[in-house]
Amino acid sequence: MHLGRNAPCPCGSGRKYKKCCWNKDQESPATKALAFVGSANEDETVAEFGSLAYMDSNILQHADYWLNFGQALGSAGYHEPARHAFERTLKLDPSEHGARLNLATTLGELGLLAEGIELIEGVPNGFRRRSVILANLLLALERYEDAIPL
């Protein structure tokens, strides 16, 4: 998936992408996740997200697009691109606790367990899936007493 330099900038400024956000987007997590789509076309769901972005670049400004894209990437086993998609979700909507939990799970898959646990601390107690994800990360660190309180 490649956003053309002469396309309108997805930030909504009305300027051409090359004159606005092109330089800063070259290293952004969003660019890394979308660039991955080209090499993951064998997965229909992942390729569909690339097609959506190609047809309407404004969708790239919606946190729910990135959340769903990250879930599709993670389900397909593409954890590093999923990480970038969840990071983009949180950049667009820092209060998206589902993305925070998905990112914590993804970090766990990448072996970054302590980072995942730290992320979960920003999710309110009682939020759906919080306890299970936290327990799984703690178990992976062999912190059994913390993971399953008696």
Side-chain angles (χ1 to χ4, degrees):
M1 169 61 214
H2 176 70
L3 182 62
R5 289 171 35 100
N6 288 319
C9 189
C11 78
S13 69
R15 298 169 58 196
K16 286 185 179 184
Y17 183 51
K18 69 181 179 185
K19 296 285 185 180
C20 193
C21 294
W22 185 80
N23 284 333
K24 73 177 180 183
D25 283 351
Q26 293 311 297
E27 293 301 318
S28 76
T31 301
K32 291 176 184 176
L34 281 174
F36 177 77
V37 173
S39 64
N41 281 332
E42 69 273 1
D43 187 286
E44 280 184 37
T45 306
V46 172
E48 185 178 319
F49 279 94
S51 296
L52 287 171
Y54 182 74
M55 290 186 298
D56 179 13
S57 62
N58 291 324
I59 201 166
L60 300 175
Q61 298 305 312
H62 297 274
D64 60 335
Y65 167 82
W66 289 103
L67 176 62
N68 292 323
F69 185 28
Q71 290 170 338
L73 288 163
S75 293
Y78 304 120
H79 301 297
E80 191 61 40
R83 174 186 182 175
H84 296 306
F86 294 134
E87 287 171 348
R88 178 65 177 169
T89 303
L90 291 170
K91 183 175 181 184
L92 292 168
D93 184 0
S95 68
E96 176 52 71
H97 297 305
R100 192 172 305 281
L101 291 173
N102 285 332
L103 179 54
T105 300
T106 301
L107 291 171
E109 291 291 334
L110 294 169
L112 303 169
L113 301 166
E115 286 183 47
I117 291 170
E118 187 177 316
L119 258 174
I120 290 175
E121 292 173 3
V123 177
N125 285 330
F127 193 84
R128 190 173 68 80
R129 297 179 25 236
R130 182 192 189 275
S131 298
V132 172
I133 293 170
L134 179 58
N136 286 336
L137 293 172
L138 290 167
L139 285 171
L141 286 171
E142 299 181 1
R143 290 175 48 189
Y144 304 113
E145 294 80 22
D146 295 331
I148 306 171
L150 299 176

